[in-house]
């Protein structure tokens, strides 16, 4: 468990207990929908704290539309149906104007019908499988073309990988991402026999046979690489088993999509050094904006050991884009904010700009990092900003779909029939 210090006072402040300046009529409410208990708490508590820090900073600047921002924090407790219940409570009972929250795709898909029914607004800050574009969601995490595809290109072009092990935890994000990667690799001329796909349950611990199968892929002398969508504690056993089998990052490099600074904090990284991760941000990014963000994070948490990570940057981008859109619209009304937010640009932490696109995704750079012994990453590759693609070009049914909310009022537009397949996004 993480020890959260300094957050209680900020929570009380954000909840309106600090005095008359926080009277209800003087505040604009936002919801924070992140698990503070259960299996996802270690990751999501950090994002709750990030929102509270952003609220504190914005209120120090005078709030928004001349009003203070009040954060209403709830705990969906890593219970996917409870996310929907808590979202409804935030909107209908607490009257929030926007929600910042969710981590797993199953929690987001649980919330989608509620926010679409009530015409609310969700900022979703975690990399995901794509194949979705809701009118009521701004996706500030990476779509597959902003993480998975560039990561595979790097392994192919820079590391000479010829055979592929696509290893994932058994749920929607890894399965959909690996379906896309399987199609992409075959389109690049990789033979079906050179792609090994395997799924394991959450918390899987016995990796000996799977690692042996991966190592055996290289028996013909071809370079093997692992693309990992393994989530949570299962990563610890996986990397340990690789090391126990004598497999180094030079032998079989692993490219992870769900291992970042938060996951590495406090772990023995001996078995991970040299392996890779693909994100849109690393704490080691050397920019003035990132240094200021890290300093502010340490001040806010009163803990210099608290790391920053990619979903934190995505949370910051979403919050700042919401503030800019509210000020541009002169209102917190969902439809007015959505009309205003497309085209909004806010600084990211790696030296560029995040722009909200018509498909409700954003443009962001792709970074490849190599794990260091201290749990940080050496950035070995960084692209210019890449526009997030709601519908992948590498699955036949998706390649003909587009998303354009300002123009076509549709997130699932068929470019062949020139018609909207459906408006509601909980497909």
């Amino acid at each position: 468990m993480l020890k959260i210090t300094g957050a209680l006072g900020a929570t009380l402040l954000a909840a309106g207990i600090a005095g008359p300046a926080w009277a209800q009529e003087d505040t604009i409410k936002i919801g924070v929908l992140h698990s503070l208990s259960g299996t996802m708490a270690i990751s999501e508590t950090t994002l709750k704290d990030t929102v509270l820090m952003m609220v504190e900073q914005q209120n120090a600047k005078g709030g928004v539309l001349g009003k203070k921002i009040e954060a209403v924090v709830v705990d969906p407790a890593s219970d996917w149906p409870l996310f929907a219940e808590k979202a409804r409570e935030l909107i209908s009972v607490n009257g929030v104007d926007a929600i910042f929250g969710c981590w797993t795709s199953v929690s987001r898909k649980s919330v989608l019908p509620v926010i679409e029914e009530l015409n609310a607004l969700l900022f979703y800050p975690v990399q995901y499988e794509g194949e979705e574009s809701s009118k009521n969601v701004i996706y500030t995490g990476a779509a597959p073309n902003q993480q998975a595809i560039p990561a595979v290109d790097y392994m192919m072009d820079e590391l000479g990988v010829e055979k592929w092990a696509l290893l994932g935890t058994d749920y929607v994000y890894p399965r959909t991402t690996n379906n896309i990667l399987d199609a992409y690799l075959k389109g690049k001329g990789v033979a079906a026999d050179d792609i090994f796909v395997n799924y394991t349950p959450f918390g899987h611990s016995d990796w000996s046979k799977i690692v042996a199968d991966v190592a055996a892929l290289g028996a013909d002398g071809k370079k093997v690489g692992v693309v990992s969508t393994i989530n949570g504690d299962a990563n610890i056993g996986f990397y340990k088993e690789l090391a126990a089998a004598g497999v180094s990052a030079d032998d079989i490099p692993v490219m992870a999509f769900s291992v970042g600074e938060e996951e590495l904090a406090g772990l023995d990284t001996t078995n991970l050094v040299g392996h890779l991760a693909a994100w849109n941000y690393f704490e080691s990014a050397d920019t003035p904006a990132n240094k200021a963000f890290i300093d502010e994070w340490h001040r806010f948490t009163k803990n210099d050991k608290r790391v920053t990570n990619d979903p934190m940057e995505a949370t910051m981008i979403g919050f700042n884009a919401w503030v800019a859109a509210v000020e541009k619209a002169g209102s917190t009304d969902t439809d007015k904010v959505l009309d205003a937010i497309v085209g909004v640009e806010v600084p990211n932490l790696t030296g560029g700009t995040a722009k909200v696109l018509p498909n409700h995704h954003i443009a962001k750079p792709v970074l490849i990092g190599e794990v260091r012994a201290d749990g940080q990453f050496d950035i070995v590759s960084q692209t210019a900003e890449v526009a997030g693609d709601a519908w992948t070009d590498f699955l036949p049914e998706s390649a003909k779909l587009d998303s354009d909310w300002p123009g076509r009022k549709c997130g699932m537009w068929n470019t062949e029939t020139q018609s909207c397949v459906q408006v509601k996004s909980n497909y």
Side-chain angles (χ1 to χ4, degrees):
M1 283 291 292
L2 287 171
K3 275 192 172 178
I4 307 302
T5 60
L8 178 58
T11 304
L12 295 176
L13 186 65
I17 303 173
W22 291 87
Q24 183 175 349
E25 61 270 24
D26 294 328
T27 65
I28 290 172
K29 292 182 180 180
I30 62 170
V32 184
L33 184 65
H34 282 301
S35 297
L36 311 181
S37 59
T39 58
M40 292 304 299
I42 191 167
S43 296
E44 295 194 58
T45 296
T46 294
L47 299 193
K48 179 266 295 182
D49 289 344
T50 304
V51 177
L52 294 182
M53 180 179 76
M54 299 305 298
V55 167
E56 182 187 273
Q57 288 180 324
Q58 189 62 36
N59 283 337
K61 300 174 188 174
V64 63
L65 301 183
K67 296 183 178 182
K68 296 287 187 181
I69 303 169
E70 176 185 345
V72 182
V73 179
V74 295
D75 178 16
S78 307
D79 179 344
W80 317 135
L82 192 56
F83 271 83
E85 187 178 316
K86 290 294 184 181
R88 187 175 295 276
E89 176 186 312
L90 284 170
I91 300 159
S92 299
V93 178
N94 299 111
V96 303
D97 290 304
I99 295 174
F100 296 84
C102 298
W103 183 291
T104 65
S105 286
V106 67
S107 67
R108 185 190 72 257
K109 287 187 177 293
S110 176
V111 166
L112 280 176
V114 176
I115 62 170
E116 291 185 343
E117 173 198 340
L118 300 176
N119 196 30
L121 183 56
L122 171 69
F123 287 82
Y124 179 65
V126 184
Q127 97 279 19
Y128 85 121
E129 68 280 0
E131 307 305 285
E132 181 181 301
S133 177
S134 170
K135 169 200 164 187
N136 298 88
V137 181
I138 303 298
Y139 305 81
T140 59
N145 74 307
Q146 295 171 304
Q147 185 186 38
I149 299 297
V152 163
D153 285 341
Y154 179 87
M155 296 179 80
M156 192 179 289
D157 298 339
E158 302 298 326
L159 304 180
V161 171
E162 300 173 278
K163 300 186 81 168
W164 303 83
L166 310 182
L167 307 182
T169 301
D170 194 4
Y171 74 108
V172 61
Y173 163 62
R175 282 191 172 273
T176 306
T177 299
N178 285 339
N179 285 344
I180 293 168
L181 289 180
D182 182 77
Y184 180 71
L185 289 169
K186 288 173 180 173
K188 287 279 193 176
V190 177
D193 288 346
D194 288 342
I195 304 172
F196 170 71
V197 184
N198 186 266
Y199 297 101
T200 46
F202 279 99
H204 186 72
S205 58
D206 184 5
W207 289 97
S208 54
K209 183 179 186 306
I210 295 168
V211 167
D213 289 343
V214 171
L217 291 174
D220 59 0
K222 288 185 178 179
K223 179 76 171 179
V224 178
V226 173
V227 176
S228 171
T229 47
I230 300 165
N231 261 259
D233 292 346
N235 278 293
I236 299 170
F238 171 61
Y239 286 104
K240 279 186 176 177
E241 184 60 37
L242 279 176
V247 177
S248 72
D250 290 333
D251 300 326
I252 300 179
V254 177
M255 178 74 74
F257 298 161
S258 299
V259 175
E261 295 86 348
E262 188 78 31
E263 289 72 26
L264 296 183
L267 292 182
D268 178 0
T269 56
T270 304
N271 299 326
L272 289 85
V273 171
H275 287 297
L276 303 161
W279 291 99
N280 309 109
Y281 163 87
F282 289 109
E283 183 175 349
S284 54
D286 185 13
T287 67
N290 190 39
K291 182 181 185 303
F293 183 77
I294 294 167
D295 288 346
E296 182 63 16
W297 178 239
H298 290 162
R299 182 206 62 79
F300 178 78
T301 60
K302 298 180 174 60
N303 184 349
D304 288 348
K305 298 191 185 314
R306 289 287 295 276
V307 297
T308 59
N309 63 17
D310 179 283
M312 286 176 63
E313 188 209 30
T315 296
M316 178 210 74
I317 288 169
F319 182 88
N320 287 337
W322 172 76
V323 168
V326 168
E327 291 178 338
K328 181 179 173 184
S331 171
T332 57
D333 175 79
T334 296
D335 288 333
K336 291 179 180 177
V337 170
L338 286 173
D339 285 343
I341 202 167
V342 172
V344 160
E345 297 186 32
V346 298
N348 63 32
L349 296 176
T350 55
T353 302
K355 181 177 182 179
V356 182
L357 306 171
N359 63 8
H360 284 187
H361 292 62
I362 67 171
K364 55 200 308 187
V366 184
L367 280 64
I368 308 296
E370 187 175 294
V371 179
R372 303 191 316 220
D374 65 356
Q376 291 292 325
F377 292 84
D378 282 326
I379 298 169
V380 296
S381 174
Q382 179 170 340
T383 71
E385 285 84 354
V386 175
D389 191 358
W391 302 99
T392 185
D393 295 334
F394 305 109
L395 297 177
E397 290 305 307
S398 297
K400 61 189 176 187
L401 297 178
D402 195 9
S403 168
D404 178 3
W405 286 107
R408 303 189 184 279
K409 308 296 182 190
C410 181
M412 199 177 189
W413 179 264
N414 188 311
T415 58
E416 294 179 354
T417 62
Q418 290 292 296
S419 62
C420 189
V421 179
Q422 63 188 82
V423 176
K424 298 294 185 184
S425 67
N426 205 37
Y427 314 116

